[in-house]
Amino acid sequence: GHFYIDLHPRDGKYGHAAVFPLRDGCRLSQQLPVCMMVCNFTKPTAEQPSLLTHDEVETFFHEFGHVMHNVCTKANYHKFGYVCIF
């Protein structure tokens, strides 16, 4: 499967961390799953790189668990291969 990440805040962006399935995976149709991780981690500045806080690291690994569930599914039917986290 594939996944996209969007890590830094911007105007009009979703307010908290989440993973959204874009295409459900399914073994029977051999369809690869695709999902997107959206977070609002500390942005880098001209003088300082973006260093994650401890809470942001925990959030990243939590959300990445949802990504792995989505991408590594071995479900035969697509309705059992996604994670609904809305």
Side-chain angles (χ1 to χ4, degrees):
H2 303 280
F3 68 96
Y4 298 93
I5 56 174
D6 182 3
L7 299 179
H8 301 294
R10 65 178 180 281
D11 290 338
K13 184 178 173 187
Y14 196 71
H16 62 277
V19 173
F20 300 100
L22 300 177
R23 183 173 64 196
D24 300 329
C26 178
R27 284 175 52 179
L28 295 179
S29 70
Q30 298 179 355
Q31 177 173 295
L32 288 176
V34 179
C35 62
M36 173 178 61
M37 181 194 311
V38 177
C39 300
N40 289 298
F41 296 147
T42 306
K43 264 186 136 171
T45 66
E47 302 82 33
Q48 187 90 12
S50 176
L51 302 176
L52 299 179
T53 66
H54 186 267
D55 286 343
E56 289 174 334
V57 171
E58 284 185 346
T59 298
F60 178 83
F61 281 110
H62 172 88
E63 296 304 330
F64 195 72
H66 294 298
V67 169
M68 293 304 294
H69 182 103
N70 239 316
V71 170
C72 296
T73 184
K74 293 189 183 235
N76 287 327
Y77 303 100
H78 72 87
K79 70 180 182 177
F80 300 119
Y82 70 96
V83 183
C84 187
I85 45 150
F86 305 111

